[in-house]
């Protein structure tokens, strides 16, 4: 694989992670991290939406009139999101119910629009697709880490299977929304302790 | 009574930020000082208050299953609800664009203080989130939808101004280097969220 | 080409929107049958869970077809009743074309208007009949609904299942998530002597001797009040039917009524509930 593509693919997952470094896309999704299963589906949905939207916008990039750029982008993203939502409703109904409005909110997930503006508008389709997929993956990774701890500590289960012994009393605090942010803070803490160059002055 | 109850509930109990994490991107990015935070907060209230009732009408007369009945009996069974995301976001984007142009032309003073925030708002999840929650919660009339919009907007404004005030003070405190900036902000928001959860016990 | 001219901009936007709408319409139409099947299976598994055939979690693991088959195998009959409790129509129960009266939102309006068509699903379990009826109402944020299963004479609740659209996770959502909440409905009865307030969900714990009350969920007052109101409304609508059933089986209604309501405290609750209805 050539170096540029490799960088496009790996950078968003660690060093340029959309959530912990670029602070994009926290909006819609911390509420779906109570259970690992929901987080995995959400992560997958975001990966698909970012990837495909970047690809389509990149294909259209030379023809989009500048004045209605944002609206055209939103239409493309919204279309992808609706497709994902419809497919989930048909094939994963229980999960779609659990994710409720948050699937729709992928539209305004800053990662999607952010990558389209920053990358897809100025690059060829294939790198754009990879950039979208990789950013979705970087985002999904954080989501899954948070969900892992929240389900483990909050319910004593993982993907619905009991992992901790029955004697473990589930910590209800972890299930409540604010804990997701505190866990996220801890993840940022660990990451910046390892990668010192990311620390803020 | 119901309006007051709904209003207070949407500000405190179901706060857009602390209960649903909506509008987080701009919330974290623009909360470094109180003045800009205030500007963005007011812009959010305004846009929410205008787009949510609009989307309510759109939902009621176009999107809901059976909503097109007013066009005649043959449209009774049409269900356009799959188009709701796209139409809601189109209304919001178009509205923001129009407001930006109008404000720029007629109220230059307001534009210079609010203008920079308007483009940010089209992609603020709190706005679209408000419309999606509105659709899910089946408000009875435009009044309820508008009350909910106003309450949610004020809740968002309150949250961002409060965070900005804390961050201004925090600039003087000693925070471990890796936690500085983003990390500690996440935690502060988490703790604020916990404080707001106490409002849930209130029965209105 | 000048991509900034007005004509180009308008034509371009139109084409994009039309293409997007066309793709979405095709996808929506293609997936609609599958989505409807999911909704049907979901409704049926809520009924089966209420009637105690299986837990909701186990039913979710079965495929849609299995759930429908389980329904057809165990259901004896399903029919519609009017406001007087008289049968006015049958619902098909054969696998393959199961009919449900699942537009509860519409029926809720019809109850208020006085012309409901209420469904009763009669299952056979271990040789005896179980009557399952739906309830529907408003929670804190969105609709809440559920299914209540009665014994053959409709004098005792044998199971319940609740669901909601958007109650707060960890609080109001517990009406669905917490098994203890629905378990406590088992063995309770509908208070026939108080048709307007025939069941209570009591904040701070239901009196032990009150057979028509269960404990509310801490922190979910609004949701519980909504559920209480929904139960009262729908039980009232079904009251003629329930009473006929109970009468036919030779149970003395007055006796039950006397046992059920826990004396003076009941009046206090009623006041509180009525008060809360207005805001819920």
């Amino acid at each position: 694989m050539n170096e540029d593509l490799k960088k496009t693919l790996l950078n968003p997952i660690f060093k340029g992670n959309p959530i912990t470094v670029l602070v994009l896309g926290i909006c819609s999704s911390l509420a779906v991290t109570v259970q690992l299963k929901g987080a995995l589906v959400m992560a997958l949905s975001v990966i698909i939406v970012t990837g495909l939207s970047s690809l389509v916008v990149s294909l259209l990039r030379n023809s989009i009139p500048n004045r209605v750029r944002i609206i055209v982008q939103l239409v493309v993203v919204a279309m992808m999101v609706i497709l994902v939502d419809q497919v989930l409703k048909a094939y994963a109904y229980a999960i779609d119910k659990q994710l409720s409005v948050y699937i729709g909110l992928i539209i305004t997930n800053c990662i999607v629009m952010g990558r389209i503006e920053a990358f897809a508008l100025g690059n060829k389709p294939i790198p754009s697709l990879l950039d979208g997929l990789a950013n979705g993956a970087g985002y999904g990774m954080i989501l899954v880490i948070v969900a892992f701890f929240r389900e483990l500590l909050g319910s004593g289960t993982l993907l619905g299977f009991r992992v901790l012994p029955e004697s473990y009393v589930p910590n209800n605090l972890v299930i409540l929304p604010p804990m997701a942010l505190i866990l996220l803070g801890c993840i940022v803490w660990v990451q910046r302790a390892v990668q010192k160059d990311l620390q803020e002055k | 009574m119901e309006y007051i109850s709904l209003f207070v509930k949407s500000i405190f109990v179901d706060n857009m930020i602390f209960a649903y994490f909506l509008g987080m991107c701009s919330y974290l990015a623009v909360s470094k000082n109180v003045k800009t935070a205030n500007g963005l907060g007011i812009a959010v209230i305004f846009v929410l208050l205008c787009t949510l009732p609009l989307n309510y009408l759109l939902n009621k007369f176009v999107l809901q299953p059976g909503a097109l009945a007013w066009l005649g009996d043959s449209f009774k069974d049409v269900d356009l609800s799959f188009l709701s995301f796209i139409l809601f976001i189109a209304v919001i984007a178009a509205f923001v664009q129009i407001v930006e142009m109008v404000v720029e032309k007629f109220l230059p003073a307001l534009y210079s203080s609010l203008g920079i925030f308007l483009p940010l708002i089209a992609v603020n999840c709190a706005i679209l989130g408000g419309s999606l929650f509105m659709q899910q919660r089946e408000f009875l009339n435009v009044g309820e939808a508008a009350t909910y919009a106003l309450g949610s907007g004020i809740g968002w404004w309150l949250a961002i101004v409060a965070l900005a005030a804390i961050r201004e003070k925090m600039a003087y405190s000693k925070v471990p280097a890796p936690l500085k900036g983003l990390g500690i902000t996440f935690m502060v928001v988490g703790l604020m969220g916990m404080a707001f959860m106490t409002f849930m016990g209130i029965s209105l | 080409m000048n991509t900034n001219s007005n004509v180009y901009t308008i034509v371009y936007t139109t084409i994009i929107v039309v293409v997007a709408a066309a793709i979405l319409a095709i996808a929506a139409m293609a997936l609609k049958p599958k989505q409807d099947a999911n909704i049907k299976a979901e409704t049926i598994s809520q009924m089966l869970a209420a009637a105690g055939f299986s837990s909701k979690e186990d039913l979710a693991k079965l495929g849609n077809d299995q759930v429908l088959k389980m329904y057809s195998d165990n259901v004896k009959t399903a029919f519609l009743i009017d406001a007087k409790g008289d049968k006015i129509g049958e619902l098909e129960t054969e696998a393959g074309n199961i009919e449900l009266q699942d537009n509860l939102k519409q029926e809720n309006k019809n109850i208020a208007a006085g012309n409901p068509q209420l469904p009763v699903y009669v299952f056979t379990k271990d040789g005896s009949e179980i009557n399952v009826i739906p309830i529907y109402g408003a929670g804190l944020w969105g609709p809440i609904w559920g299914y209540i299963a009665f014994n053959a004479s409709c004098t005792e609740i044998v199971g319940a299942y609740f669901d909601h659209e958007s109650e707060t996770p960890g609080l109001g959502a517990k009406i669905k998530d917490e098994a203890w909440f629905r378990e406590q409905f088992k063995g309770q009865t509908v208070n026939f002597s108080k048709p307007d307030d025939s069941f209570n969900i009591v904040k701070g714990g239901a009196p032990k001797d009150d057979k028509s009350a269960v404990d509310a969920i801490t922190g979910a007052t609004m949701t519980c009040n909504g559920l209480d109101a929904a139960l009262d409304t729908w039980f009232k609508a079904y009251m003629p039917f329930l009473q006929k059933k109970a009468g036919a089986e030779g149970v003395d209604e007055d006796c039950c009524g006397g046992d059920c309501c826990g004396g003076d405290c009941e009046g206090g609750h009623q006041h509180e509930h009525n008060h809360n209805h207005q805001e819920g």
Side-chain angles (χ1 to χ4, degrees):
Chain A
M1 195 193 285
N2 86 39
E3 274 305 303
D4 271 0
L5 279 185
K6 202 168 172 183
K7 209 173 146 225
T8 311
L9 209 51
L10 288 181
N11 191 42
I13 295 181
F14 302 105
K15 264 203 134 157
N17 188 293
I19 291 191
T20 59
V21 181
L22 303 178
V23 208
L24 288 177
I26 304 146
C27 326
S28 58
S29 305
L30 285 182
V32 304
T33 52
V34 175
Q35 272 152 358
L36 198 49
K37 202 169 160 192
L40 281 170
V41 175
M42 187 71 184
L44 204 62
S45 312
V46 171
I47 292 174
I48 292 170
V49 171
T50 44
L52 291 183
S53 311
S54 286
L55 176 68
V56 172
V57 172
S58 175
L59 284 171
L60 298 174
R61 71 186 187 280
N62 292 327
S63 68
I64 297 179
N66 197 39
R67 267 185 298 171
V68 290
R69 196 181 73 232
I70 300 274
I71 293 185
V72 170
Q73 288 165 6
L74 282 173
V75 168
V76 171
V77 177
M79 187 179 81
M80 294 301 166
V81 172
I82 297 173
L83 283 178
V84 168
D85 184 50
Q86 295 281 332
V87 170
L88 280 180
K89 270 208 181 76
Y91 295 99
Y93 183 65
I95 294 174
D96 188 74
K97 259 182 77 188
Q98 191 196 340
L99 295 177
S100 74
V101 296
Y102 291 97
I103 287 283
L105 289 173
I106 298 177
I107 297 173
T108 46
N109 190 319
C110 324
I111 294 181
V112 186
M113 289 298 285
R115 290 328 291 173
I116 288 176
E117 280 278 305
F119 198 93
L121 275 179
N123 284 282
K124 289 212 172 73
I126 296 298
S128 299
L129 174 67
L130 291 179
D131 179 75
L133 291 176
N135 274 285
Y139 165 87
M141 190 183 70
I142 300 292
L143 214 60
V144 168
I145 294 175
V146 175
F148 175 85
F149 286 109
R150 287 182 82 188
E151 191 177 347
L152 187 69
L153 300 176
S155 326
T157 57
L158 280 180
L159 286 172
F161 296 105
R162 183 150 279 285
V163 178
L164 295 176
E166 291 287 343
S167 57
Y168 173 78
V169 181
N171 184 343
N172 278 328
L173 187 65
V174 186
I175 296 183
L176 298 175
M179 265 321 267
L181 281 168
I182 294 183
L183 272 171
L184 203 54
C186 293
I187 292 173
V188 173
W189 192 354
V190 171
Q191 193 194 14
R192 295 194 178 179
V194 177
Q195 296 178 346
K196 295 225 161 31
D197 52 326
L198 289 175
Q199 290 175 9
E200 288 171 47
K201 289 282 149 16
Chain B
M1 248 339 265
E2 272 164 42
Y3 288 107
I4 297 173
S5 158
L6 179 66
F7 181 65
V8 175
K9 238 184 294 172
S10 47
I11 295 182
F12 295 107
V13 183
D14 281 68
N15 188 288
M16 280 279 181
I17 292 282
F18 297 126
Y20 297 105
F21 305 117
L22 294 181
M24 269 301 198
C25 307
S26 31
Y27 181 70
L28 292 171
V30 193
S31 60
K32 286 199 178 93
N33 70 67
V34 174
K35 200 167 166 238
T36 43
N38 190 32
L40 182 65
I42 290 172
V44 166
I45 297 178
F46 179 67
V47 174
L48 207 50
L49 190 57
C50 297
T51 56
L52 208 138
L54 257 175
N55 279 337
Y56 176 82
L57 294 174
L58 191 67
N59 187 43
K60 192 161 181 184
F61 293 110
V62 181
L63 295 172
Q64 268 178 3
L68 286 170
W70 55 273
L71 273 177
D73 269 357
S74 49
F75 291 94
K76 215 169 54 203
D77 295 325
V78 179
D79 177 0
L80 290 179
S81 49
F82 67 91
L83 282 178
S84 43
F85 296 160
I86 227 168
L87 285 183
F88 285 171
I89 197 71
V91 165
I92 292 167
F95 179 80
V96 169
Q97 197 94 50
I98 292 167
V99 169
E100 199 182 345
M101 289 191 293
V102 170
V103 171
E104 189 176 10
K105 189 149 172 95
F106 297 107
L107 298 162
L110 185 67
Y111 182 75
S112 58
S113 59
L114 273 192
I116 44 164
F117 300 117
L118 285 171
L120 264 179
I121 283 179
V123 287
N124 186 322
C125 326
I127 312 286
L128 181 65
S131 286
L132 292 177
F133 278 127
M134 169 275 295
Q135 190 186 29
Q136 205 184 45
R137 285 170 188 170
E138 300 179 349
F139 292 120
L140 290 175
N141 52 48
V142 184
E144 281 193 10
T147 312
Y148 174 67
L150 185 63
S152 305
I154 292 178
W156 204 90
W157 168 81
L158 193 71
I160 194 167
V161 172
L163 180 67
I166 292 177
R167 285 181 78 171
E168 276 187 3
K169 294 274 174 225
M170 215 160 54
Y172 305 106
S173 33
K174 277 189 183 162
V175 177
L179 259 183
K180 248 187 196 154
L182 188 60
I184 195 74
T185 309
F186 275 138
M187 292 188 183
V188 166
V189 177
L191 292 173
M192 288 166 79
M194 280 186 199
F196 264 72
M197 289 194 75
T198 51
F199 290 115
M200 283 187 184
I202 300 174
S203 104
L204 285 161
Chain C
M1 197 199 297
N2 175 14
T3 57
N4 278 325
S5 79
N6 283 342
V7 177
Y8 180 84
T9 306
I10 292 167
V11 170
Y12 188 89
T13 325
T14 316
I15 291 175
I16 289 279
V17 170
V18 168
V19 169
I23 294 176
L24 291 176
I26 292 168
M29 276 191 315
L31 294 170
K32 187 94 178 137
K34 186 94 179 122
Q35 293 171 354
D36 288 346
N38 283 336
I39 293 168
K40 198 173 200 174
E42 170 72 20
T43 309
I44 286 177
S45 43
Q46 288 176 6
M47 271 185 233
L48 292 171
F53 286 103
S54 179
S55 76
K56 185 71 179 44
E57 290 73 28
D58 290 342
L59 286 164
K61 285 177 197 139
L62 297 174
N64 286 352
D65 295 343
Q66 292 283 324
V67 172
L68 297 195
K69 186 170 176 300
M70 194 178 205
Y71 175 81
S72 302
D73 288 350
N74 291 298
V75 74
K76 190 175 164 199
T77 166
F79 51 86
L80 295 173
I81 58 167
D82 63 10
K84 293 196 199 77
D86 296 323
K87 199 193 266 193
I88 49 169
E90 292 273 347
L91 291 171
E92 186 63 59
T93 56
E94 276 303 309
N97 43 2
I98 295 172
E99 282 178 338
L100 301 173
Q101 172 73 300
D102 54 1
N103 192 347
L104 299 179
K105 188 177 160 190
Q106 183 58 41
E107 282 317 306
N108 203 38
K109 282 183 197 153
N110 291 349
I111 289 176
N115 58 346
Q117 299 196 339
L118 301 167
V120 178
Y121 306 94
V122 185
F123 293 88
T124 321
K125 192 186 175 200
D126 304 330
S128 54
E129 273 182 16
I130 293 179
N131 300 292
V132 177
I133 63 164
I135 58 131
Y136 179 95
L140 171 59
W141 283 122
I144 50 178
W145 64 93
Y147 287 88
I148 310 283
F150 288 93
N151 64 355
S153 58
C154 291
T155 47
E156 188 183 321
I157 295 173
V158 294
Y161 187 84
F162 301 106
D163 202 352
H164 61 93
E165 200 163 277
S166 48
E167 300 307 302
T168 322
L171 295 168
K174 281 185 176 171
I175 58 165
K176 177 187 178 199
D177 300 335
E178 298 276 318
W180 68 261
F181 181 72
R182 51 180 183 266
E183 286 298 318
Q184 50 175 350
F185 281 80
K186 286 187 184 166
Q188 302 301 93
T189 63
V190 174
N191 189 347
F192 287 142
S193 61
K194 275 197 180 163
D196 286 324
D197 187 28
S198 55
F199 206 90
N200 286 316
I201 298 176
V202 185
K203 199 177 165 185
K208 277 231 161 47
D209 55 346
D210 190 342
K211 293 293 279 174
S212 300
V214 294
D215 299 348
I217 293 167
T218 316
T221 313
M222 296 299 291
T223 308
C224 286
N225 286 343
L227 187 57
D228 186 306
L231 290 169
D232 287 346
T233 312
W234 282 69
F235 284 162
K236 189 182 178 193
Y238 274 100
M239 196 61 82
F241 170 79
L242 296 176
Q243 274 175 335
K244 262 180 215 168
K245 274 273 187 186
E249 299 282 330
V251 171
D252 188 354
E253 290 161 25
D254 295 337
C255 156
C256 168
D259 274 348
C260 301
C261 51
D264 291 337
C265 63
E266 193 74 7
H269 288 148
Q270 191 176 357
H271 175 74
E272 185 193 29
H273 291 298
N274 288 345
H275 172 66
N276 284 325
H277 289 177
Q278 296 162 359
E279 292 154 348

